[in-house]
């Protein structure tokens, strides 16, 4: 039987929210493997906020996705054919080869790695023990540098990165306050993830509630969203505050980034500027294996918990990206193939 790969190609660059017309869904028959190649049946596709930025043609820390090529993305799946000495049929792997359902790859591809055998579900290798988990780990430890008893505020707190940041900060002995959209997410952040508090940025008394939750000010603000949330936190920053800038999702659909309400703009205007910088998880690639192993231990010991939104069907990937950009996802957004 023919092996059919389905893939979403980037077809058009978006203005604002990316609509369906930005992608083209195509099918192709995979060609037989050559020596050193494997065929991966994708089980899960990760949907991440950074994907919106890759759809633009602007200068960024990462090259834009190319028109006519598979939309950028990481997947987790199982090797179903192998002509490789490194990967055998049945191995679970993660690979960064875009929105595709059946991936032919060289076993030397730098983006591929074998998922270790454990009780952790495969989908978590795209979330808490995958790229978002490692982002939380490095951003907090290397840029935030938490100390015991400090107050750490985390935005997008119920999400893939934010949920791990807060739980790691609790392990450092910090007081941790989350910011999330809506009472359901806030109660999950407090009751299930164990943050000290969580404030709903959509509620009318957001600024007062945040200030009440941070009685000793804010020592670390782990920035995920930008816009009015950052404005509110910036008023509470202590003298030695650090702000690891992980992302600013509320502004990703803006057309003019110079005009946008980015954290660089908001923090740059303050009289007393906190130590702040944008970081990318790939800065510490040589430490990824160690971070993954630490995060895996925490997940297996129930010290890191996470939520996932798993949407069935490859054809739902574009809508899932829009959901992430509007907060309809709850925890890590995954597409199940
Ligand atoms: N620098 C890096 O290397 C790196 C790596 C991975 C991710 N990131 C960044 O980390 C951040 C979180 O990513 P994630 O993967 O963990 O996504 P996520 O939190 O799982 O999902 C995105 C969340 O952002 C929140 N959001 C959406 N629009 C918002 C708005 N206008 N205002 C405030 N919040 C909004 C929503 O939560 P609510 O319902 O609570 O609003 C939504 O659920 C993003 O900014 C992403 O770009 C950076």
């Amino acid at each position: 039987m023919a092996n059919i790969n389905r893939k979403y190609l980037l077809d058009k660059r978006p203005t604002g929210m990316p609509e369906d017309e930005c992608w083209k869904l195509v099918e192709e028959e995979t060609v037989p493997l050559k020596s050193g190649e494997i065929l991966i049946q994708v089980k899960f596709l990760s949907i991440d906020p950074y994907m919106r930025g890759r759809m633009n043609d602007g200068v960024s820390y990462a090259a834009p996705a190319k028109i006519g090529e598979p939309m950028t993305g990481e997947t987790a799946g199982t090797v179903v054919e192998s002509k490789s000495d490194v990967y055998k049929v049945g191995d679970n792997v993660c690979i960064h080869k875009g929105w595709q359902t059946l991936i032919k790859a060289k076993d030397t591809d730098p983006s591929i790695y074998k998922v270790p055998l454990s009780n952790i579900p495969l989908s978590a290798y795209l979330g808490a023990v995958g790229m978002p988990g490692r982002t939380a780990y490095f951003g907090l430890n290397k840029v935030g540098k938490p100390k015991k008893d400090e107050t750490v505020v985390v935005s997008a707190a119920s999400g893939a990165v934010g949920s791990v940041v807060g739980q790691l900060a609790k392990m450092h002995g910090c007081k941790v306050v989350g910011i999330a959209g809506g009472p359901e997410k806030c109660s999950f952040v407090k009751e299930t993830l164990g943050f000290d508090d969580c404030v709903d940025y959509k509620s009318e008394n957001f600024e007062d509630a945040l200030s009440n939750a941070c009685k000793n000010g804010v020592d670390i603000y782990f920035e995920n969203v930008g816009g009015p949330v950052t404005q509110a936190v910036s008023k509470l920053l202590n003298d030695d505050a650090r702000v690891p800038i992980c992302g600013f999702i509320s502004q990703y659909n803006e057309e003019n980034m110079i005009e946008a309400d980015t954290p660089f703009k908001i923090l740059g205007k303050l009289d007393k500027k906190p130590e702040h910088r944008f970081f990318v998880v790939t800065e510490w690639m040589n430490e990824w294996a160690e971070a993954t192993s630490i995060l895996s231990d925490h997940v297996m010991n129930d010290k890191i918990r996470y939520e996932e939104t798993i949407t069935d069907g490859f054809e739902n990937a574009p809508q899932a990206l829009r959901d992430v950009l509007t907060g309809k996802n709850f925890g890590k957004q995954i597409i199940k193939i």
Side-chain angles (χ1 to χ4, degrees), residues 5 42-43 50 78 108 127 131 161 165 194 204 217 220 236 255 259 287 307-308 313-314 336-337:
N5 176 28
V42 173
K43 293 190 171 155
Y50 77 84
T78 305
T108 50
M131 182 280 282
V161 175
V165 171
E204 268 179 28
I220 299 176
L236 304 172
E255 273 167 56
E259 302 281 302
E287 295 176 54
E307 183 64 52
E308 295 174 319
F314 186 58
K336 189 175 175 196
I337 314 272

Side-chain angles (χ1 to χ4, degrees), residues 217-234:
V218 175
D219 299 299
I220 299 176
Y221 171 45
F222 195 99
E223 166 70 302
N224 282 323
V225 306
V229 169
T230 309
Q231 298 275 11
V233 182
S234 71

